[in-house]
Amino acid sequence: MVKSAILLVGGMGTRMQPLTFDTPKPMLPLVGKPITEHQIMKAKAAGITEIVLATSYLSDVFTPYFGRGEKFGIKISYAVEESALGTGGAIANAAKLLTGSGPVMIFNGDVLSNHSLERQIAAHEENGADVTLYLTEVEDARAFGVVELDGARIASFNEKMENPPTNIINAGCYIFNRDIIDQIPEGVVVSVERETFPVLLARGAKVYGFVDNSYWLDIGNPGALLKATRDLIESAGHEMAQGKGSSIDPTAVVDQGSFVGAGAIVGAGAKLHQSIIGDGAIIGANVDLTRVFVASETEVGENTVREGDFLGFSSH
Ligand code: GDD
Ligand code: MG
């Protein structure tokens, strides 16, 4: 049984600028809810009862939203790194706040997936593994951690390489036995991908892969967030979605998986294609936006035409 989880949400989200100037990447809204909330609900559905958010960059943004988890029916606490400790250092630091001592599920904070946590947990237990990595296959593996398999066991792990030997990648969700976490040095920067995995493999630790090729997306840049939003909306059978209290003029066209935030107003004749409109924004008449992000409370003047743009995000 796996009851505890750590969510890695401390990265700078550099590739997500300008959306991440004021909001850490995992708190960016995906169909009106932070990416982190989607992951928390997935973990809860798989039987996880406590989660530690491993935060660093803009750590203050998480607590007011998630509290102690009362609203979400799961115990949530926060491990704050004064300066980023890397993925491995973050795991070691966050684990100290867990009450349980069993295996721990660890999530990258920017992944949307339909993979089966239950089956990953079952595989971990059946194999008697020390660590089990969720793996998926992609066309181009260069931007990811790449593994070579020997049966179900991982034979090699290489983070971001130019000529990957396979197209099977680390999909960013692990199960670690607690004794393995306790061996990660504390208080120093450690990368789980560049240090911990290679060291474990060199030592002959039982590191297994769990391949699941269902839907998977790393929401690493704005284009991926547009895609994730569209995929979620369309998989529910809709063309668009809107938050509470928003209003869309009947002559407006909102499609291709656009999301209109809570309280936002979309004027007559406006066209929104695969765009994300922040809460309380005002979209004037005949505005035409394709693949555009509009910040919360931003007013877009009538007849504005934009493609692939960001409107209203501060540029500090
Ligand atoms: N707390 C904390 N502290 N979190 C961190 C830190 C840190 O110092 N550094 C990164 N993170 C978090 C990020 O917020 C993100 O949720 C997660 O760790 C992974 O970091 P990314 O910056 O998104 O890494 P990536 O996408 O380049 O690569 C990772 O994910 C791929 C799959 O999406 C690696 O794990 C790859 O091996 C993997 O293939
Ligand atoms: Mg990522």
Side-chain angles (χ1 to χ4, degrees):
M1 289 249 275
V2 181
K3 293 282 178 197
S4 307
I6 294 170
L7 225 58
L8 298 171
V9 292
M12 296 276 294
T14 312
R15 288 163 294 172
M16 200 52 107
Q17 288 170 358
L19 304 175
T20 45
F21 284 137
D22 303 310
T23 308
K25 175 168 66 174
M27 284 304 283
L28 290 174
L30 170 59
V31 196
K33 288 178 185 161
I35 298 168
T36 301
E37 183 174 346
H38 292 269
Q39 291 185 307
I40 288 175
M41 297 324 281
K42 182 178 168 95
K44 185 186 166 189
I48 300 291
T49 57
E50 62 166 345
I51 288 199
V52 179
L53 302 191
T55 69
S56 175
Y57 176 66
L58 298 177
S59 56
D60 295 348
V61 178
F62 293 91
T63 324
Y65 188 89
F66 291 108
R68 291 166 186 268
E70 308 87 341
K71 275 189 235 148
F72 306 91
I74 186 164
K75 180 176 184 280
I76 298 177
S77 47
Y78 305 86
V80 183
E81 298 149 46
E82 265 171 45
S83 64
L85 289 173
T87 46
I91 293 167
N93 186 53
K96 292 186 285 185
L97 294 183
L98 292 170
T99 54
S101 57
V104 182
M105 195 111 216
I106 295 159
F107 297 89
N108 281 358
D110 59 349
V111 167
L112 183 64
S113 88
N114 277 340
H115 93 281
S116 169
L117 290 179
E118 291 86 347
R119 286 181 37 228
Q120 184 179 357
I121 293 168
H124 183 77
E125 289 167 354
E126 280 158 26
N127 292 327
D130 293 315
V131 180
T132 301
L133 281 69
Y134 159 37
L135 306 172
T136 193
E137 284 165 88
V138 295
E139 293 262 305
D140 181 355
R142 285 176 299 176
F144 303 105
V146 181
V147 305
E148 289 175 288
L149 287 173
D150 175 7
R153 264 179 99 149
I154 292 182
S156 77
F157 187 102
N158 280 287
E159 184 66 12
K160 300 189 178 83
M161 66 195 305
E162 211 24 64
N163 295 302
T166 73
N167 61 347
I168 309 169
I169 63 150
N170 167 22
C173 175
Y174 326 117
I175 301 167
F176 269 67
N177 285 352
R178 188 54 188 268
D179 59 318
I180 301 290
I181 296 180
D182 292 343
Q183 291 163 28
I184 299 174
E186 259 185 64
V188 289
V189 177
V190 180
S191 160
V192 82
E193 297 90 344
R194 294 181 194 277
E195 297 169 71
T196 311
F197 291 144
V199 166
L200 287 171
L201 291 171
R203 273 210 342 235
K206 296 176 81 181
V207 184
Y208 279 80
F210 169 72
V211 182
D212 185 324
N213 282 318
S214 53
Y215 184 86
W216 176 86
L217 186 67
D218 173 342
I219 311 179
N221 54 44
L225 183 54
L226 292 174
K227 177 170 164 44
T229 303
R230 180 176 188 163
D231 289 344
L232 268 189
I233 291 171
E234 291 185 348
S235 68
H238 305 295
E239 282 209 316
M240 56 80 70
Q242 63 189 112
K244 274 190 192 148
S246 55
S247 84
I248 300 175
D249 189 277
T251 62
V253 176
V254 182
D255 61 8
Q256 296 175 24
S258 290
F259 182 76
V260 176
I265 299 169
V266 179
K271 294 193 182 75
L272 304 177
H273 308 303
Q274 206 183 3
S275 293
I276 298 179
I277 311 303
D279 294 350
I282 299 174
I283 308 298
N286 302 314
V287 164
D288 188 338
L289 305 181
T290 303
R291 299 176 63 81
V292 169
F293 289 85
V294 176
S296 298
E297 316 297 337
T298 297
E299 193 165 344
V300 181
E302 55 181 41
N303 302 314
T304 303
V305 180
R306 289 283 193 286
E307 192 169 335
D309 209 347
F310 303 89
L311 302 177
F313 293 89
S314 52
S315 54
H316 42 93

